[in-house]
Amino acid sequence: MKKLIPLLGLLVSSTTLAAQVITLEDGRQVQLNDDFTWGYVLTEKAAQTDNRSTPSNAEIIPVAAAPVINKRVGTTITVGSKKPIMQLQDSGIELLLGSAQYQDGELIIPTSLTNQSSSAVVLVEVEITISDLQGQKLAQEKVKVWQSIKRLADTYLRPQTAEQGRSIAIAVEQAEQYQLSAQIVDLEIR
């Protein structure tokens, strides 16, 4: 029984550490979640809040997540960085957004897809939103990064395969960094 009490205390304390709110140097607040996601905290009032709890009148805006995600997420990207931007997942389909480059007035993001499901994929469409670092939306587009030719089975993304997808090109003004949010919005399988 004496051994059980410390274990119970550890379990209770680990479940109470659900989220932590921190304040950045510029005054913005960020909520850090146990599932390795984070989001900006937007409050109705500009009042200061306790950094150890989430304000009751706050809305959490998701910004970044663990490498594999299946919801709309965002991150800050640096043009020309060698690291991939993010990986999205939906129904066994993994979509990797590669490192962004700027060419001829467009932000170019290469894509690659992996089909971990047991069905062939004929369409993958992603919605991309590009904002400046202050959160002002610059562009929002839906892009079909994989589309097969109707009734031509050789063009399907077969199960347990990986292929290069169509690059995403979005016309925006040139900047060193952008905020990007993305979500798989349409997925068709056969």
Side-chain angles (χ1 to χ4, degrees), residues 128-172:
I128 301 284
T129 303
I130 304 289
S131 304
D132 61 18
L133 293 180
Q134 289 72 40
Q136 185 73 16
K137 188 190 306 184
L138 303 174
Q140 182 173 10
E141 292 186 25
K142 289 184 180 179
V143 179
K144 294 176 182 172
V145 294
W146 185 268
Q147 185 171 15
S148 300
I149 299 171
K150 194 171 190 171
R151 294 192 179 107
L152 187 55
D154 290 344
T155 63
Y156 295 177
L157 180 59
R158 296 285 179 200
Q160 309 304 313
T161 60
E163 296 287 339
Q164 287 296 117
R166 185 175 295 141
S167 290
I168 299 169
I170 300 178
V172 292

Side-chain angles (χ1 to χ4, degrees), residues 16-17 31 55 69 79 85 99 102 113 129 159 176:
T16 59
L17 300 174
Q31 178 176 321
I69 47 185
V79 176
I85 296 170
S99 61
Y102 194 84
L113 297 111
T129 303
E176 187 176 316

Side-chain angles (χ1 to χ4, degrees), residues 32-48:
L32 305 175
N33 301 314
D34 283 345
D35 63 354
F36 302 104
T37 62
W38 62 276
Y40 289 111
V41 177
L42 300 179
T43 58
E44 293 175 13
K45 299 177 184 173
Q48 294 294 329

Side-chain angles (χ1 to χ4, degrees), residues 17-103:
L17 300 174
Q20 180 181 7
V21 176
I22 61 170
T23 303
L24 302 176
E25 291 176 1
D26 63 1
R28 293 180 296 170
Q29 291 186 320
V30 175
Q31 178 176 321
L32 305 175
N33 301 314
D34 283 345
D35 63 354
F36 302 104
T37 62
W38 62 276
Y40 289 111
V41 177
L42 300 179
T43 58
E44 293 175 13
K45 299 177 184 173
Q48 294 294 329
T49 60
D50 182 42
N51 288 346
R52 291 169 296 201
S53 64
T54 305
S56 60
N57 63 341
E59 175 185 356
I60 306 300
I61 306 298
V63 177
V68 178
I69 47 185
N70 59 2
K71 58 182 177 179
R72 174 173 287 282
V73 296
T75 188
T76 300
I77 62 172
T78 302
V79 176
S81 171
K82 301 292 183 205
K83 297 187 325 186
I85 296 170
M86 71 174 57
Q87 183 172 333
L88 302 169
Q89 181 178 358
D90 189 356
S91 303
I93 306 305
E94 296 173 359
L95 171 64
L96 181 68
L97 302 180
S99 61
Q101 303 297 322
Y102 194 84
Q103 292 179 334

Side-chain angles (χ1 to χ4, degrees), residues 111-130:
T111 66
S112 61
L113 297 111
T114 303
N115 184 354
Q116 301 290 355
S117 74
S118 59
S119 302
V121 176
V122 295
L123 174 72
V124 178
E125 185 174 31
V126 64
E127 183 176 68
I128 301 284
T129 303
I130 304 289

